[in-house]
Amino acid sequence: MENLFDRRRFLQQAAALGGLTACRKAGSAEKEPLLQRPEAHPPLGKGQGIYPGRVVWVHDPKVTDWQGPGDGHWWEPGRTKQDRLNAMMARCVMELAGQTSPAKAWDLLFRHFNRTHGRGDVGYRTGEKILIKPNWVGFIWRDRNVDRESYRLVRRQDYMNTGPQVIIALLGQLVNEVGVRPPDITVCDSLALLPEEYYHILREAYPEVRYEDYGGKPGRIQVKPSDLPLYWSCRPQGVAQDYLPTCIAEATYLINLANLKGHTSAGVTLCGKNHFGSLVRWPVQQGYYDMHRGSFNPERKAYREQVDLLGHAHLGGKTVLSIIDGIFTGKHYIDPSPRRWKAPPFNDFWPCSLFVSQDAVALDSVAFDFIWDAWEDCARMPRGEDYLHEAALADNPPSGTFYDPNHPRPTQRLASLGVHEHWNNPEERKYSRNLGRPEGIELLYARLD
């Protein structure tokens, strides 16, 4: 019960502090009413990518045979099928880039990134470093789910962390199709203690990859801060300066590998919130800016930290690909294990899906719609999609915030970080580009059997 007590305590502290900052408007103490349907609006912002706003969804119901708690653990070898995940990841990048082989697809993805970042028409070059940011919030050091001495999982063993098999599938693509040397790849969630159970699986597959975590247990590398700052656009006063980890500062490219989860306070936890684990301190650590003040704020048209994270030059600005691990899903923090999804094509089984895009806002928008349809809470809180409005319209956001996380004072506004809209309905799941319109999201679906 100790970890649950700690969670309640820091949420209480965050709520108590919420009204003391200019970064958050005063909110009502009444229970937030839930919305019955997403607010209809045309596409907001500007689509990103080779095919702007394209999101690929690959579904394979045979990727796991895990039946739930009591049937071993979903992450154990053989329960999540590595060969099928490898095929899913390959299909994702081919569909995204419109190519017939993973090697050609990755080359096009890197070339597009480099062209749009002023680096010329070049692909990946040997020696460039790649950072993979998983979502391992279930291993956060303060929650004591991982024993700090043995590095073994002692609680919430089936929590919905980014699966080791998904990471291995991605590593296989980078090493075998792109030609990246394993020592030039780092996998890091700065708040996590990478437990023996996951580490053994990862290291057996790719022993030369760098695995960084909070504790630096032998075999792992302890994450260290760089001198590269991140500035919160709400401009909080009297707080310690935030700096990015050295592994992120030194990376040429970043891959945002998030999870498909609802969130009982922020609405959803996807690519935007995944970067809450990209600083060398926990979100509400005393002395630092409280990152929950914006993300938990029930007001609409409010400042949201996710925009600063997606817009920082060395976080979202380095992201060559965004991925959402939707093999399993659930609600953070209340679920100790995954939930099944009833709607077709899931049919009361796990989602068994991967979602990818070059446009993190479009990707989170699609995932948001899936979560909205699956459950009658979380995403349906009015605040749930607010960060997507702010990110899509970062150059002129509804909150009026001058988003500039790259300078100590407001200097250069962020441009639109991507495109946001909702599907036409949960049966057809079509977006503007699927309906023949020139702007908006395009969702491509592939089922593997």
Side-chain angles (χ1 to χ4, degrees):
M1 295 297 292
E2 290 175 318
N3 62 328
L4 297 179
F5 173 77
D6 284 351
R7 179 71 177 175
R8 293 191 193 102
R9 182 169 57 190
F10 87 67
L11 287 175
Q12 290 165 357
Q13 291 171 344
L17 291 170
L20 302 180
T21 175
C23 300
R24 173 175 176 173
K25 299 176 184 178
S28 170
E30 296 179 3
K31 186 176 181 179
E32 191 173 10
L34 299 178
L35 303 177
Q36 295 306 305
R37 61 184 60 85
E39 178 184 338
H41 56 73
L44 305 176
K46 183 179 180 181
Q48 309 293 313
I50 300 166
Y51 300 95
R54 175 174 287 186
V55 176
V56 174
W57 165 31
V58 175
H59 175 227
D60 181 358
K62 296 180 181 178
V63 73
T64 181
D65 61 6
W66 188 62
Q67 295 303 306
D71 183 30
H73 301 296
W74 60 261
W75 43 263
E76 290 176 328
R79 304 320 304 267
T80 302
K81 313 296 183 183
Q82 191 62 64
D83 58 338
R84 302 194 74 92
L85 260 175
N86 295 346
M88 292 175 72
M89 190 67 73
R91 184 67 177 273
C92 279
V93 296
M94 288 190 291
E95 294 285 350
L96 185 61
Q99 297 296 307
T100 56
S101 74
K104 291 179 180 178
W106 279 106
D107 184 61
L108 200 58
L109 292 172
F110 278 104
R111 286 181 180 276
H112 179 269
F113 178 91
N114 286 325
R115 283 198 306 271
T116 55
H117 286 73
R119 294 161 51 86
D121 185 17
V122 295
Y124 174 83
R125 290 174 286 196
T126 301
E128 293 179 321
K129 298 183 184 301
I130 297 178
L131 187 287
I132 298 173
K133 171 57 180 72
N135 187 315
W136 283 338
V137 69
F139 305 148
I140 189 170
W141 63 275
R142 283 189 60 95
D143 280 353
R144 304 191 185 117
N145 297 327
V146 180
D147 184 87
R148 295 198 67 171
E149 296 302 320
S150 68
Y151 254 60
R152 293 281 179 181
L153 278 168
V154 293
R155 299 182 181 90
R156 299 172 76 88
Q157 287 90 340
D158 289 323
Y159 179 78
M160 306 74 60
N161 294 293
T162 305
Q165 290 81 16
V166 174
I167 296 172
I168 289 170
L170 176 58
L171 290 172
Q173 290 287 302
L174 295 175
V175 172
N176 300 321
E177 305 296 343
V178 182
V180 185
R181 298 180 307 196
D184 290 328
I185 304 172
T186 299
V187 179
C188 177
D189 186 315
S190 63
L191 300 182
L193 299 175
L194 174 54
E196 285 292 326
E197 291 87 344
Y198 275 46
Y199 178 66
H200 176 76
I201 296 171
L202 292 167
R203 195 171 188 278
E204 183 173 326
Y206 289 97
E208 295 180 352
V209 166
R210 294 168 53 91
Y211 301 101
E212 293 200 18
D213 76 349
Y214 181 86
K217 188 76 172 180
R220 294 79 156 168
I221 300 165
Q222 187 173 32
V223 65
K224 300 292 185 184
S226 70
D227 58 1
L228 187 66
L230 179 145
Y231 303 99
W232 302 107
S233 293
C234 61
R235 308 301 167 187
Q237 302 297 312
V239 295
Q241 177 62 55
D242 271 304
Y243 295 93
L244 299 183
T246 297
C247 58
I248 290 178
E250 293 180 347
T252 306
Y253 308 101
L254 189 147
I255 295 176
N256 189 338
L257 180 46
N259 282 85
L260 182 66
K261 288 188 297 214
H263 194 289
T264 56
S265 295
V268 293
T269 177
L270 303 166
C271 292
K273 203 167 182 304
N274 190 30
H275 280 309
F276 277 40
S278 293
L279 300 172
V280 193
R281 55 92 167 187
W282 69 308
V284 296
Q285 186 167 326
Q286 186 174 4
Y288 287 88
Y289 168 64
D290 179 353
M291 295 161 64
H292 286 170
R293 287 177 173 173
S295 62
F296 289 10
N297 184 357
E299 300 288 336
R300 304 194 76 176
K301 299 182 180 181
Y303 164 76
R304 305 293 176 183
E305 294 87 359
Q306 295 97 316
V307 183
D308 280 331
L309 295 166
L310 289 173
H312 193 277
H314 290 264
L315 292 173
K318 284 183 174 178
T319 300
V320 68
L321 185 65
S322 295
I323 306 172
I324 291 179
D325 173 3
I327 306 301
F328 300 97
T329 187
K331 302 178 186 180
H332 183 80
Y333 180 83
I334 62 174
D335 284 344
S337 59
R339 293 177 182 240
R340 297 168 185 255
W341 274 2
K342 296 185 180 300
F346 312 114
N347 302 324
D348 201 27
F349 196 54
W350 320 115
C352 297
S353 298
L354 292 179
F355 301 85
V356 304
S357 185
Q358 293 173 281
D359 186 326
V361 178
L363 182 58
D364 277 14
S365 298
V366 170
F368 178 92
D369 283 346
F370 275 92
I371 293 171
W372 179 290
D373 183 54
W375 302 316
E376 295 183 354
D377 55 4
C378 291
R380 299 191 183 199
M381 295 185 293
R383 80 190 80 170
E385 67 168 335
D386 204 56
Y387 81 95
L388 295 169
H389 287 252
E390 293 285 295
L393 302 173
D395 53 339
N396 186 23
S399 69
T401 303
F402 191 121
Y403 283 106
D404 179 7
N406 299 300
H407 300 95
R409 290 174 295 280
T411 302
Q412 182 176 353
R413 285 186 184 273
L414 293 178
S416 169
L417 298 178
V419 63
H420 168 55
E421 62 170 321
H422 297 293
W423 59 33
N424 61 338
N425 59 65
E427 291 74 38
E428 294 182 296
R429 301 182 177 111
K430 291 184 178 181
Y431 293 85
S432 291
R433 290 183 188 269
N434 299 112
L435 297 170
R437 297 167 188 154
E439 303 291 337
I441 294 173
E442 175 190 30
L443 177 61
L444 300 183
Y445 171 64
R447 179 184 172 107
L448 304 184
D449 286 310

